Each structure stands twice: as C-alpha cells, then as structure tokens.
Amino acid sequence: IASDAQADPGSQPGCGYMLFDARDGRRAAACCPLAEELLDAWGYGTAVRQEGGNPIAICEAAVIAAAALAEAPTLAGRTIVWFVDNTTALHAFVKGTSANEAVERAAQCVHFLSLKYDFRIWFEFIDSGANWSDGISRELHDDQFAKDHGFRVSTLAVPLQLWSCDLVSLWAGLAA
C-alpha cells in the first residue's frame, strides 16, 4: 500500500491510497478531498490555513487510518508493506504515538485495527517523487497513474468520529 496527502496552500487538502495485492493481483485505490469539519476538528480550519498553517502531517496520518479502516477485512492475517512519504506520520505509526494528538489518534486507530484483524504492517519511507500514490491525492479520481495501471478507484471515507470520541469508545467501535 502507498498513501499520500496534499495540503498545498490555496487548494483543498486531499488524500488517497493505492493497494496492490501480490497474492491475487487486486489493485484498489480510494481518495477524497478532506472535509472542512475534519480540518476544523484538527485545528486547521480555513482561517488557520490562510495564515500559513499546514495540516500535512495529520492529512498524511488520516489517510493511513482511513485506508486501514476501509481495507481491514481484506488485510486480515496478512503482512503489509506500507509506503509513506511524510516522516512525521511515518514515525508516529512506527512508534505508536505522536506529540500531535490528531496524528497520534490516527496511529492508535491503525494499531487497534491491526490487533482486531491480525495484520502486521511494515511502514517504509518512500521519497515523494517515487510515491506512486502522489497523483491520487492531488488529482483524486482523475489520477492518470491509477487509470494506466488498472486501479479501481473508489471514494474514501475519513470519518470524523475517529477523532471525536475517547479511546475506549474508539476501541469499542472498531472492535464491533
């Protein structure tokens, strides 16, 4: 799996991931623009972004959590290599914690899902220029790489509730 997000100044932040399953050849991808209510909840509303605040670390972490949530049943019992080009997000998932509460919550969510579905993830750094999911985070459903390589692209859900409940409720919701 490779995931990416963009939070370029003057544009609506977006995110996406691409999954290639070497076992059965499945090529799945999903993407979405990030909703203002999410950006507000993370402390990066429009005004903050217009003043130069950049939510890229949380956007990069959020797409990993949303992708893991979307793909968890298909990942059950598997070992996954996940490519990430943002070192802040990457380190949070490797360590399982972050000084940024929103990034930390994304990491907690993925670790909860990993426990529930018994999958193991090796997070690996990839240079932004080599990240094959870069286009889908910017071009969304119009990404040419996804089209050229046979990825079936769907719309990704990034649920606000992952960041708006306490950990006990998060665990109960993910374990259900």
Side-chain angles (χ1 to χ4, degrees), residues 9-92:
S11 69
Q12 180 66 31
C15 66
Y17 74 92
M18 302 180 92
L19 176 150
F20 173 72
D21 188 332
R23 184 182 295 171
D24 63 12
R26 182 171 75 103
R27 295 168 188 245
C31 58
C32 69
L34 290 163
E36 278 302 317
E37 67 179 350
L38 275 169
L39 294 161
D40 285 337
W42 298 334
Y44 286 98
T46 303
V48 172
R49 294 193 322 272
Q50 287 174 343
E51 293 174 7
N54 191 326
I56 191 60
I58 181 52
C59 295
E60 294 268 3
V63 68
I64 296 170
L69 184 61
E71 296 290 345
T74 67
L75 302 177
R78 307 283 294 273
T79 299
I80 301 108
V81 177
W82 199 306
F83 297 99
V84 181
D85 66 7
N86 180 277
T87 57
T88 300
L90 175 70
H91 293 154

Side-chain angles (χ1 to χ4, degrees), residues 112-113 116-117 169-176:
F112 282 172
L113 288 165
K116 175 181 168 60
Y117 288 94
S169 299
L170 178 65
W171 171 248
L174 294 175

Side-chain angles (χ1 to χ4, degrees), residues 139-151:
E139 303 299 325
L140 303 173
H141 289 80
D142 295 324
D143 178 42
Q144 195 60 48
F145 182 91
K147 292 175 185 177
D148 290 349
H149 292 89
F151 283 87

